[in-house]
Amino acid sequence: MGHFTFGSGGGHSLVPVKGTKVVLAGKPAILPNIEVPFVMQTLTKRQIDAIPKTQFTVSIIDKIEVPNMSSVLSHRGGGAASLRNRLKRQPNLGGKIGSRRFGVRSLPVRPLVAEADGTKQYMTLVGLLDDLSEQANHLITENRRLSRNYDGDPPDSNLFYEPINERLMSDCIMKVIADFFGSDDKCKIYGHEYKLVEFCLLMHYYFLRIGIMQNTARKPFAEYILRNVLKDETRFAVKTFNNYANDYKNDEKDFIDGDGLDIDFRLHPDTSTRPHLDAFHEIGHSFYISKYFKDLRNIRKQMNKFCF
């Protein structure tokens, strides 16, 4: 398995380095070390689960859908990798990770063979136990942009009112999900465990509360999350989404009715005896402080200045 770092001094040349070679779930992989703080590579779920979370953080950037993948990239302080078939027309991709610049060049391609037991493979960012949220968010954005360039944008579902862009909204949602879940199937919010389907339901309630949903039905929203955001319709069933809505029925009015229970999404919630309400508040706060929602508020300010 190839592994590289980017040269320093402003250049973008790739320099071979020695990361920490390991075997995870019976397969070779690279783990970060002090010299190479994070590595982007393709791993199976079993390999991800085998990574000691007391030493490393793992963020899933995307599920691998195509048959070929570029070699692993790593970076002294920053790094990124992409599928080569998405980079055919962009041999030199430039971008930022934090305050650093990076460049990506076409690398030798090795075939990606589906495992006999059907185990999925994921593009991952593995790092030391430092905060990698900025790097992970940037890589999610770049990967999704390249995916759209290669596969094209999915058709709009007319879920949201204008001027919300469904493509940018899907990127925003994916970043929020990655922040909460990382590589896990569940997340904890104020001590209470949530499955992805529950998290998406609370997200739907938040979007309904702030009035951005043109189509308020649950089914099209669940389909949008599966097809446009997660790009994996096996993550949960629409029927399961509806079943959880029945479990949350007693809280639904407080979630949706902005004229009832007052919630300030600019702040983190004060913990209460209602964990679902606290989780709903925290999810809403994450969207409120996201870059895309800041952009939407700026658009609203500009629109309010117009005289018709």
Side-chain angles (χ1 to χ4, degrees), residues 229-245:
V229 179
L230 301 173
K231 299 181 181 179
D232 182 356
E233 296 188 50
T234 67
R235 295 297 293 274
F236 58 81
V238 174
K239 182 179 179 180
T240 306
F241 190 80
N242 285 322
N243 289 340
Y244 271 102

Side-chain angles (χ1 to χ4, degrees), residues 10 14 33 35 69 71 74 89 96 102 112 126 137 160 162 183 205 210 221 229 240 255 260 282 284 300:
L14 295 174
N33 52 35
E35 185 183 24
M69 174 177 176
S71 301
S74 58
R89 298 177 184 176
K96 266 191 175 182
F102 70 83
L112 187 67
V126 184
N137 281 344
F160 303 98
E162 293 184 356
S183 63
Y205 287 143
I210 62 176
F221 179 79
V229 179
T240 306
F255 290 151
E282 184 65 23
R300 182 180 63 187

Side-chain angles (χ1 to χ4, degrees), residues 206-219:
Y206 172 68
F207 290 165
L208 291 174
R209 183 185 182 99
I210 62 176
I212 63 174
M213 302 296 300
Q214 180 171 264
N215 186 338
T216 61
R218 287 195 294 264
K219 184 176 184 290

